[in-house]
């Protein structure tokens, strides 16, 4: 009986000593988190969307505290979060609101199909294996990879086979733009006044372009010639609009024979 009691006492003493040692070493080697990081994590939306350029909200908060990240990079949080961050860091943050726009109008009724696709039903797989599901090699594949990665329920697939973006829900995080294998989704300023080219077909073979999609840019350069501000030029097979020169007069919008150039509010 005495052996059992002695064993219990010894075990208790050892456990007590180990507990004291653990507490001592924890205090000595403790890594103290910057108080600002804790406060920053509290104001960030915790969406971990990656729109800020970091792996998640925690990584972004730590980068801000180290002075390595801008105060206004959280697109999901918008102006309110940027201002809260600026208050914590004792600075100011100029905020822009962004949204995603699909630069393709090649719906089921407009773009000719390449054929029946029987592979893995994702845009990435179809683009890699057969260069997409449409004869236009740059067109929207239509399997909705962008819908799956949107953490804000801002994208859904329309009946016409194209993703639809809800500009009220869209935070401009850029997840859909990074996911699209054909880079058809663009992250743009919500306050953009200049019209946008809603086509990504870079082919210079006009007969094929006309045949493959009734809503594609046919490279006629009419917009370039008629722009009164000379704000448009052809680059890589598509018209590119200089936002600084553009006055949003609408000449290119009304003059485009294929209705490729449009104002975003419409």
């Amino acid at each position: 009986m005495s052996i059992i009691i002695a064993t219990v006492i010894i075990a208790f003493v050892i456990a007590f000593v180990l507990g004291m040692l653990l507490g001592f070493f924890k205090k000595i080697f403790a890594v103290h988190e910057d108080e600002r990081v804790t406060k920053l994590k509290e104001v960030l939306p915790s969406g971990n969307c990656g729109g800020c350029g970091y792996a998640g909200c925690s990584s972004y908060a730590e980068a801000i505290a180290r002075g390595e990240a801008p105060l206004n990079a959280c697109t999901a949080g918008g102006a309110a979060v940027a201002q809260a961050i600026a208050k914590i860091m004792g600075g100011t943050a100029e905020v822009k609101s962004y949204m995603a726009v699909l630069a393709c109008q090649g719906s089921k009724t407009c773009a000719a199909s390449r054929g029946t696709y029987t592979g893995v039903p994702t845009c990435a797989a179809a683009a890699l294996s057969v260069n997409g599901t449409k004869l236009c090699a740059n067109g929207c594949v239509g399997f909705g990879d962008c819908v799956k990665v949107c953490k804000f329920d801002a994208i859904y697939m329309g009946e016409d086979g194209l993703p639809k973006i809800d500009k009220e829900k869209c935070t401009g995080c850029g997840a859909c733009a990074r996911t699209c294998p054909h880079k058809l989704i663009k992250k743009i300023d919500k306050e953009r006044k200049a019209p946008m080219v809603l086509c990504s077909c870079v082919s210079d073979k006009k007969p094929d372009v006309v045949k493959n999609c009734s809503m594609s840019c046919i490279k006629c350069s009419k917009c370039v010639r008629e722009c009164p501000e000379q704000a448009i030029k052809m680059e890589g097979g598509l018209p590119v609009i200089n936002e600084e020169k553009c006055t949003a007069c609408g000449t290119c919008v009304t003059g485009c024979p294929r209705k490729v150039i449009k104002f975003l509010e419409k």
Side-chain angles (χ1 to χ4, degrees), residues 104-115 131 133-140 162 199-219 258:
C104 177
Q105 299 183 93
S107 64
K108 293 178 180 178
T109 56
C110 299
S113 173
R114 188 181 293 275
N131 204 22
T133 57
K134 297 168 183 172
L135 289 179
C136 174
N138 306 108
C140 175
L162 294 178
C199 178
S200 298
C201 179
V202 297
S203 174
D204 58 357
K205 298 178 181 179
K206 188 172 179 177
D208 289 342
V209 171
V210 173
K211 180 180 66 174
N212 293 344
C213 181
S214 61
M215 293 296 289
S216 59
C217 173
I218 57 174
K219 333 299 178 188
R258 305 275 281 189

Side-chain angles (χ1 to χ4, degrees), residues 54-72:
Y54 292 86
C57 294
S58 293
S59 299
Y60 177 47
E62 292 167 2
I64 293 173
R66 293 193 302 267
E68 299 174 358
L71 307 183
N72 59 356

Side-chain angles (χ1 to χ4, degrees), residues 63-218:
I64 293 173
R66 293 193 302 267
E68 299 174 358
L71 307 183
N72 59 356
C74 180
T75 55
V81 169
Q83 290 167 4
I85 291 173
K87 185 176 181 180
I88 294 170
M89 298 301 295
T92 58
E94 182 182 351
V95 183
K96 283 188 176 182
S97 296
Y98 296 92
M99 67 176 290
V101 174
L102 179 68
C104 177
Q105 299 183 93
S107 64
K108 293 178 180 178
T109 56
C110 299
S113 173
R114 188 181 293 275
T116 302
Y117 174 73
T118 58
V120 178
T122 67
C123 299
L128 180 63
S129 60
V130 293
N131 204 22
T133 57
K134 297 168 183 172
L135 289 179
C136 174
N138 306 108
C140 175
V141 180
F143 283 120
D145 288 13
C146 52
V147 177
K148 298 168 189 172
V149 299
C150 181
K151 296 184 178 182
F152 303 97
D153 194 29
I155 312 178
Y156 64 93
M157 290 303 296
E159 293 182 0
D160 60 357
L162 294 178
K164 307 300 178 183
I165 300 168
D166 186 333
K167 67 178 183 179
E168 299 301 326
K169 292 182 179 181
C170 180
T171 64
C173 70
C176 54
R178 294 189 294 272
T179 298
C180 180
H182 286 169
K183 305 303 177 186
L184 300 179
I185 301 181
K186 313 297 181 182
K187 178 179 173 180
I188 58 100
D189 188 345
K190 280 188 176 181
E191 301 300 319
R192 177 185 174 118
K193 300 300 181 184
M196 189 169 174
V197 179
L198 300 183
C199 178
S200 298
C201 179
V202 297
S203 174
D204 58 357
K205 298 178 181 179
K206 188 172 179 177
D208 289 342
V209 171
V210 173
K211 180 180 66 174
N212 293 344
C213 181
S214 61
M215 293 296 289
S216 59
C217 173
I218 57 174

